[in-house]
Amino acid sequence: MIYGIGFLLLIGFAIYGFISTRKKDVEVFPINWHNLLIKHVHFYKNLPVAEQKRFQSRMMLFLSEVHLDSVGFELDDLDKVLIASSAVIPVFNFPEWYYKSLSTVLVYPDHFNEDLGFAQTDENRQIAGMVGNGQFKNQMLLSRKALHSGFKKKSYVHNTGIHEFVHLIDKQDGIIDGVPERLIQEPYVIPWLKTIHKKMEDINNNKSDIRNYGGTNEAEFLAVASEYFFERPKLMKKKHPDLYQMLKVCFRVKDE
């Protein structure tokens, strides 16, 4: 259960988000966002010009459907670009996709705890992002610090934004279980489960470069593996060709 000020804040934002997310007009893509995307989002940078235009359109459509808000600071252009990019990247090859179970993305300045405390004095501030359930369904909470870190060049793979949006994709069939029915057709479910269980075993035996959190359960494995797939596709193809091929089919990525 969530208590205190954080609880009241989330209630307020949930109500405001419900009211404000009635279908809005799709705004024109701000010209200066192109440079932000080129600098911070390598997925976008690597697209042909025509596909970059399509990415821009998908971003603006997402922003017309989902309300963005923040706690303790004002969102800037880069915040909006990184949130929208996190949403678009996993479903870029699904033209008709929309996040039916999301109305609001609420951004905290730093990691937070289960009581939504994010101050330096709050204990156990370890949560970088989460998809709300129960009375807080249709909400996503993100740490701004973690969101930005996910798009920086680094030796390890961890992108909180993509991670949380993959959980939402997984949730489209009603349950977050690591087997998103919208992505994985029935004949591929058993091979998929066999692959992820083998990969999870490798993670938990310290025999994999996939982030340790992926060994938690099937749902977290899907989200962690998807981060790897979109952030370091060439490395995944080299080190995990079977997993790479399965995710390529899931996300409808064309051959290079």
Side-chain angles (χ1 to χ4, degrees), residues 40-92:
H40 297 280
V41 184
H42 70 82
F43 181 93
Y44 175 88
K45 182 179 180 179
N46 293 335
L47 292 173
V49 173
E51 291 294 88
Q52 288 181 351
K53 294 292 185 183
R54 188 165 70 87
F55 192 96
Q56 295 171 11
S57 297
R58 294 291 298 276
M59 284 178 61
M60 301 315 293
L61 180 60
F62 169 80
L63 293 173
S64 76
E65 296 171 339
V66 176
H67 176 66
L68 308 186
D69 217 325
S70 55
V71 178
F73 70 98
E74 185 175 343
L75 293 170
D76 62 22
D77 283 354
L78 182 56
D79 297 325
K80 297 172 186 177
V81 163
L82 296 183
I83 294 168
S85 294
S86 299
V88 170
I89 287 171
V91 295
F92 186 57

